[in-house]
Amino acid sequence: MDAQRSSHMREPQSADVSPLTPPLEANGLVLSPYCTNLRSKRLFFISGPPMVESDVVDACAHCWCRHTMQVLGPDRGIASPDRCQTGRACFESILGPATQTPT
């Protein structure tokens, strides 16, 4: 029975897909290029932060913003892996919201 169960389970095939933007680095840590508020059903089944688009989307490709709980983010833009990345006004990394560096 365990052999049957393991034969039906597949490893995520995210290694063959490149991220749209390179992962962020902070203090030697590699961070997800996606906003921490981006959600999808698939994200509940991965063991770490999403690094490539296939870690986020599944066949239905439905995503939502955790902040608004809708398909639109706080900036009224669509929540999706190709849009919820560094540079978007509402983007938050796993380390927290972006803050301005003191000058």
Side-chain angles (χ1 to χ4, degrees), residues 1-10:
M1 178 96 172
D2 290 328
Q4 285 179 336
R5 199 175 294 168
S6 64
S7 68
H8 293 294
M9 296 173 63
R10 294 185 296 145

Short mmCIF file of all heavy atoms in Angstrom, two decimals, residues 1-10:
data_model
loop_
_atom_site.label_atom_id
_atom_site.label_comp_id
_atom_site.label_asym_id
_atom_site.label_seq_id
_atom_site.Cartn_x
_atom_site.Cartn_y
_atom_site.Cartn_z
N MET A 1 0.82 -1.19 0.00
CA MET A 1 0.00 0.00 0.00
C MET A 1 0.87 1.26 0.00
O MET A 1 0.57 2.20 -0.70
CB MET A 1 -0.91 -0.04 1.23
CG MET A 1 -1.79 1.16 1.37
SD MET A 1 -3.36 0.79 0.67
CE MET A 1 -4.27 2.18 1.13
N ASP A 2 1.95 1.27 0.80
CA ASP A 2 2.82 2.44 0.83
C ASP A 2 3.50 2.65 -0.52
O ASP A 2 3.72 3.78 -0.92
CB ASP A 2 3.88 2.31 1.92
CG ASP A 2 3.26 2.44 3.30
OD1 ASP A 2 2.26 3.19 3.41
OD2 ASP A 2 3.76 1.81 4.24
N ALA A 3 3.84 1.57 -1.21
CA ALA A 3 4.46 1.69 -2.52
C ALA A 3 3.50 2.33 -3.51
O ALA A 3 3.88 3.15 -4.35
CB ALA A 3 4.92 0.33 -3.04
N GLN A 4 2.20 1.95 -3.42
CA GLN A 4 1.21 2.55 -4.30
C GLN A 4 1.05 4.03 -3.99
O GLN A 4 0.98 4.86 -4.87
CB GLN A 4 -0.15 1.87 -4.13
CG GLN A 4 -0.23 0.51 -4.76
CD GLN A 4 -1.61 -0.09 -4.52
OE1 GLN A 4 -2.31 0.26 -3.58
NE2 GLN A 4 -1.99 -1.01 -5.40
N ARG A 5 1.00 4.34 -2.71
CA ARG A 5 0.81 5.73 -2.30
C ARG A 5 1.98 6.60 -2.77
O ARG A 5 1.79 7.68 -3.28
CB ARG A 5 0.68 5.80 -0.79
CG ARG A 5 0.03 7.06 -0.32
CD ARG A 5 -0.21 7.07 1.15
NE ARG A 5 -1.19 6.05 1.49
CZ ARG A 5 -1.45 5.66 2.72
NH1 ARG A 5 -0.79 6.16 3.73
NH2 ARG A 5 -2.36 4.76 2.96
N SER A 6 3.20 6.11 -2.60
CA SER A 6 4.35 6.91 -3.00
C SER A 6 4.49 7.03 -4.51
O SER A 6 5.02 7.99 -5.01
CB SER A 6 5.65 6.34 -2.39
OG SER A 6 5.89 5.05 -2.92
N SER A 7 3.98 6.05 -5.25
CA SER A 7 4.07 6.13 -6.71
C SER A 7 3.12 7.19 -7.27
O SER A 7 3.34 7.73 -8.33
CB SER A 7 3.78 4.77 -7.36
OG SER A 7 2.42 4.42 -7.16
N HIS A 8 2.05 7.50 -6.51
CA HIS A 8 1.11 8.52 -6.96
C HIS A 8 1.55 9.92 -6.57
O HIS A 8 1.08 10.90 -7.12
CB HIS A 8 -0.29 8.26 -6.40
CG HIS A 8 -0.91 7.02 -6.95
ND1 HIS A 8 -1.27 6.89 -8.26
CD2 HIS A 8 -1.22 5.85 -6.35
CE1 HIS A 8 -1.79 5.70 -8.46
NE2 HIS A 8 -1.78 5.04 -7.31
N MET A 9 2.45 10.01 -5.61
CA MET A 9 2.92 11.32 -5.17
C MET A 9 4.07 11.76 -6.07
O MET A 9 4.94 10.99 -6.39
CB MET A 9 3.38 11.26 -3.72
CG MET A 9 2.26 10.93 -2.76
SD MET A 9 2.81 10.67 -1.10
CE MET A 9 3.47 12.24 -0.69
N ARG A 10 4.04 13.02 -6.46
CA ARG A 10 5.10 13.55 -7.30
C ARG A 10 5.77 14.70 -6.57
O ARG A 10 5.15 15.43 -5.84
CB ARG A 10 4.55 14.08 -8.62
CG ARG A 10 3.99 13.02 -9.52
CD ARG A 10 3.58 13.59 -10.85
NE ARG A 10 2.50 14.56 -10.67
CZ ARG A 10 2.37 15.65 -11.39
NH1 ARG A 10 3.21 15.93 -12.35
NH2 ARG A 10 1.39 16.50 -11.17
#
